Amino acid sequence: GQNIDQPTEMTATEGAIVQINCTYQTSGFNGLFWYQQHAGEAPTFLSYNVLDGLEEKGRFSSFLSRSKGYSYLLLKELQMKDSASYLCASNSWGKLQFGAGTQVVVTP
Amino acid sequence: GAVVSQHPSRVICKSGTSVKIECRSLDFQATTMFWYRQFPKQSLMLMATSNEGSKATYEQGVEKDKFLINHASLTLSTLTVTSAHPEDSSFYICSASIESSYNEQFFGPGTRLTVL
């Protein structure tokens, strides 16, 4: 069956780095998305990985290992506005399978 | 570009009534639209996938007679929650995708449904 796991919550201080891990077991895999979602709002696109390796985009980077079914999202130089839920989603047969989300709390 | 709107943003209705939610792609034609439901502190659960001019494909466990989806054009899909009950209260989010190598989905702002 399809399964996507990520931690429930992570706390870090402003200016620090946080790494959110995601493991997945899905069929028909065609890439891994990361989204940011603030409470009561729709998800916003952060990154997409389909090949193994690291994709860097400003303060956010995302990594994928297809053989291990593993991805991570790295948030650097954390800001208070980064407090949100981060969703890992597998593109499986043209549909997105979402993880439960990781709530990141940034403290002063 | 790639803006998706939803209307209404919030709706409160009485139990037993029907509610229609509209999803529009404003500046592009979407080959496919998706409807998700999200309960508090939970992830997005895909309800159905719809393509313009054809019947929607529902995920397992989603009642197609209760959640009616009409995809009238390449820019508009509607979800009607029929005979709504309090357990249908949720955050409903649509997305639209453009056919591409990875079929990126663009999400609408969501509709908060509260059934009394």
Side-chain angles (χ1 to χ4, degrees):
Chain A
Q2 318 272 30
N3 197 35
I4 300 176
D5 289 316
Q6 54 182 128
T8 304
E9 185 170 314
M10 303 182 76
T11 300
T13 54
E14 211 172 356
I17 298 173
V18 69
Q19 178 175 314
I20 307 169
N21 296 323
C22 171
T23 58
Y24 63 90
Q25 291 177 308
T26 59
S27 58
F29 180 78
N30 188 30
L32 196 291
F33 287 88
W34 284 96
Y35 287 88
Q36 180 192 63
Q37 186 180 27
H38 286 99
E41 299 180 11
T44 55
F45 171 81
L46 291 178
S47 70
Y48 171 75
N49 295 67
V50 67
L51 300 177
D52 286 0
L54 185 68
E55 295 277 343
E56 296 187 82
K57 191 186 293 185
R59 293 190 298 115
F60 294 176
S61 303
S62 57
F63 172 83
L64 177 68
S65 168
R66 294 177 69 126
S67 61
K68 295 182 179 177
Y70 167 70
S71 173
Y72 68 72
L73 179 70
L74 194 69
L75 286 63
K76 295 180 251 184
E77 300 168 21
L78 278 174
Q79 302 175 10
M80 297 301 291
K81 67 178 182 180
D82 297 330
S83 291
S85 181
Y86 291 84
L87 307 173
C88 167
S90 166
N91 187 358
S92 178
W93 300 115
K95 297 188 286 189
L96 292 182
Q97 301 283 343
F98 282 88
T102 298
Q103 187 66 43
V104 170
V105 178
V106 182
T107 59
Chain B
V3 177
V4 177
S5 71
Q6 267 182 256
H7 179 79
S9 57
R10 292 177 186 273
V11 57
I12 300 173
C13 69
K14 293 182 179 180
S15 186
T17 59
S18 294
V19 174
K20 180 187 282 188
I21 303 170
E22 288 188 352
C23 176
R24 293 181 185 271
S25 56
L26 297 185
D27 51 2
F28 67 101
Q29 292 186 324
T31 50
T32 306
M33 289 186 168
F34 302 85
W35 286 96
Y36 296 85
R37 180 168 52 182
Q38 186 177 34
F39 293 106
K41 297 189 184 291
Q42 295 187 25
S43 191
L44 280 75
M45 297 300 296
L46 180 65
M47 299 175 67
T49 304
S50 74
N51 293 288
E52 182 259 344
S54 60
K55 289 184 179 180
T57 302
Y58 290 81
E59 295 299 299
Q60 194 172 8
V62 178
E63 300 174 57
K64 62 181 181 181
D65 294 331
K66 180 170 181 61
F67 299 99
L68 302 178
I69 291 173
N70 185 302
H71 196 151
S73 73
L74 286 171
T75 60
L76 173 64
S77 177
T78 60
L79 168 68
T80 302
V81 183
T82 62
S83 187
H85 288 96
E87 57 265 30
D88 298 324
S89 298
S90 188
F91 192 48
Y92 291 86
I93 305 174
C94 74
S95 71
S97 73
I98 303 169
E99 194 168 332
S100 68
S101 61
Y102 61 93
N103 296 314
E104 181 181 352
Q105 293 184 26
F106 303 94
F107 287 86
T111 297
R112 174 74 58 193
L113 171 64
T114 303
V115 185
L116 302 176

